[in-house]
Amino acid sequence: MRTSNRRPITEECLNLVGQIYACAAEPEKTPDTLHLFAESVGGTSAQTFSWQRSSGKVVHSQFSETDAVFEEASRHYISYWGARDPRAAVLPSLPPGEVLRCHESFDEKFVADSGFYQDYFVPLGLRWSIAGMFDSGADTSTVIAALRPADMPPFDESAAAAVRQLLPHFQKASLIRARLEQSAPASKSAVEMLKLLPIPCLFTDRAGRCIERNEAFSQLVEQLEVRLVVGRVRFSDPNLQTTWETALSQSHVTALGQTILIPAPNGRHWKVHLVPLHSVVHGGDAFDKKMIMAVFDENAAEVQPTAQSLASGAGLTRAELEVLAGLLQGLPAKTIATSRGASVNTVRSQIMTILDKTGHKSQRELIASFGASSFGSSSFGASSSGASSSFGESAFQPSSFRASSFRHSSFEHSR
């Protein structure tokens, strides 16, 4: 008899959780996610199925396997066997979040007399299951189950504990998927527009999960050293990743557009304009505000004033120029103060002075006039001995998109 009861490895669990949420936007990843789920609890297969609580009708079934045998098994489950599944009769009676281990509810005599087991489950090479149920809609319940053949032991308590921990993630992902399906008709035209655009674009949420992307963005991925990791946009530069995530969060909270600057290895810079989807798809609900359109715009090679010329023209001191560099990178006053070894009040005072010297009324207006930072991470937070040379080589990039086009809030953390 094979034995595979073991505690899931933390790294495996984290990867699985990422996959679970990726499935919300990309249902085609469901078989792979079910396979990871089965592996994480020591199973050889997995199944998910759903039914309507009001009618008891089974509306969905899917296995981790994608071959013709299991695809046929899913169809038969929906049309016939789902209504005869003893697990579906027991699970609703369990406390919320609790799991069913079949050997605790169905003894050998029950299995031997059960048509479900003898005519459906066992012929598929399955015997043991561990399952959890959650509400996946107003009138829908969904079950996620890991499965094993007869030559393996029943699932133990460590597997049950792992399933309990994963159930909330499966439920949240299913609710996200339901909302995406509800908004699909409204956003269909926006998705079609996205795919037709010749410039790189993608739809994402506040957490950076890629909902949809066009071919131009797919071609840009390698050039910008960006990857899609379990559906999330990941930059190789940690500072750039932080800026990206902060901008997404700001767009979500304020429902206003943001612009950030991304350097490419070839020395060029790309402006990324973030636009809340609800500003494109009218009549959307609150969920639409979590969908953000990212438009990647390559800056033209223009002759721009250097930082030193700005300092001379506006009368900015080196300290004020360093603070401005931080603002243009999307950093809040507290972070700028920590990096410079100054107090927050000092930095806020310097920000007011910068606004006064440059003739701007707010940080939003100031940053929108320059687009986003071209200083790069190396120029901010440098030592005083190196600051002069790095600032002398920097250039501000005036925005090619007017602030009114995307209703910028542009990281207005403090005044």
Side-chain angles (χ1 to χ4, degrees):
M1 178 181 289
R2 289 185 287 167
T3 58
S4 290
N5 280 321
R6 64 177 180 85
R7 290 186 177 277
I9 301 172
T10 301
E11 184 177 350
E12 289 180 355
C13 292
L14 292 175
N15 184 41
L16 173 57
V17 170
Q19 278 288 106
I20 290 170
Y21 287 109
C23 279
E26 301 176 85
E28 63 273 14
K29 291 184 177 180
T30 299
D32 290 337
T33 303
L34 289 174
H35 180 70
L36 284 177
F37 167 64
E39 282 191 336
S40 71
V41 296
T44 60
S45 180
Q47 180 193 15
T48 180
F49 55 90
S50 305
W51 70 84
Q52 292 176 340
R53 291 190 292 273
S54 58
S55 66
K57 180 182 179 181
V58 177
V59 295
H60 173 74
S61 173
Q62 187 169 8
F63 288 90
S64 52
E65 291 76 11
T66 57
D67 56 42
V69 172
F70 279 90
E71 287 183 356
E72 184 70 11
S74 282
R75 287 192 289 270
H76 286 167
Y77 187 90
I78 294 172
S79 63
Y80 183 80
W81 290 112
R84 294 158 178 81
D85 187 345
R87 298 172 298 175
V90 174
L91 281 164
S93 66
L94 298 179
E98 193 49 74
V99 301
L100 166 69
R101 288 189 284 168
C102 68
H103 65 283
E104 295 178 330
S105 298
F106 316 126
D107 59 21
E108 291 298 333
K109 184 179 184 306
F110 178 92
V111 171
D113 295 338
S114 168
F116 175 82
Y117 273 95
Q118 297 305 316
D119 298 330
Y120 180 74
F121 230 42
V122 173
L124 289 173
L126 304 172
R127 168 60 178 88
W128 310 108
S129 66
I130 181 170
M133 185 186 75
F134 53 86
D135 291 345
S136 53
D139 187 40
T140 308
S141 292
T142 294
V143 172
I144 181 78
L147 313 169
R148 283 179 178 173
D151 64 347
M152 293 180 70
F155 289 95
D156 65 5
E157 179 54 35
S158 66
V163 175
R164 292 187 195 101
Q165 290 180 331
L166 291 169
L167 276 178
H169 298 293
F170 277 110
Q171 181 178 31
K172 290 177 183 177
S174 71
L175 295 176
I176 291 172
R177 181 61 198 163
R179 299 299 296 275
L180 282 172
E181 290 175 346
Q182 291 173 8
S183 64
S187 61
K188 182 177 179 181
S189 60
V191 172
E192 291 175 347
M193 174 197 70
L194 179 82
K195 293 182 176 180
L196 291 174
L197 288 174
I199 57 176
C201 301
L202 64 87
F203 285 151
T204 182
D205 61 13
R206 66 176 298 185
R209 285 182 284 262
C210 181
I211 306 302
E212 189 66 68
R213 62 185 184 273
N214 63 5
E215 181 60 28
F217 175 79
S218 298
Q219 296 174 0
L220 181 66
V221 166
E222 184 175 347
Q223 182 179 340
L224 290 184
E225 295 185 344
V226 61
R227 298 176 299 151
L228 293 179
V229 181
V230 292
R232 293 173 183 262
V233 175
R234 293 293 184 202
F235 292 94
S236 57
D237 183 346
N239 292 327
L240 189 56
Q241 183 68 30
T242 299
T243 299
W244 165 258
E245 292 174 355
T246 302
L248 289 174
S249 179
Q250 287 286 318
S251 287
H252 168 74
V253 171
T254 65
L256 298 175
Q258 304 284 340
T259 297
I260 60 175
L261 195 70
I262 297 178
N266 62 5
R268 305 284 288 182
H269 287 80
W270 289 76
K271 284 182 180 176
V272 183
H273 306 278
L274 304 177
V275 189
L277 183 61
H278 78 288
S279 66
V280 177
V281 183
H282 298 289
D285 59 16
F287 180 74
D288 293 327
K289 297 179 182 179
K290 297 181 181 180
M291 311 295 285
I292 299 169
M293 182 178 183
V295 182
F296 290 71
D297 169 43
E298 187 173 19
N299 278 348
E302 303 169 343
V303 178
Q304 305 297 346
T306 65
Q308 286 184 340
S309 66
L310 177 71
S312 175
L316 298 183
T317 65
R318 178 179 299 173
E320 292 163 353
L321 194 56
E322 290 178 359
V323 171
L324 179 58
L327 290 176
L328 295 180
Q329 290 181 54
L331 301 176
K334 184 176 180 180
T335 301
I336 297 174
T338 301
S339 300
R340 299 193 64 251
S343 70
V344 176
N345 287 337
T346 297
V347 170
R348 286 175 176 163
S349 176
Q350 290 169 325
I351 291 173
M352 296 303 296
T353 300
I354 292 169
L355 294 175
D356 182 61
K357 289 182 177 180
T358 57
H360 294 292
K361 298 179 180 179
S362 67
Q363 288 183 50
R364 179 196 310 183
E365 183 180 307
L366 171 66
I367 298 174
S369 68
F370 292 110
S373 173
S374 64
F375 282 109
S377 57
S378 62
S379 64
F380 183 74
S383 64
S384 58
S385 61
S388 176
S389 60
S390 62
F391 284 138
E393 295 170 358
S394 299
F396 290 98
Q397 304 283 342
S399 175
S400 60
F401 277 65
R402 299 310 305 161
S404 60
S405 300
F406 292 96
R407 297 169 59 211
H408 285 277
S409 66
S410 299
F411 306 112
E412 189 174 8
H413 290 283
S414 60
R415 294 291 180 88

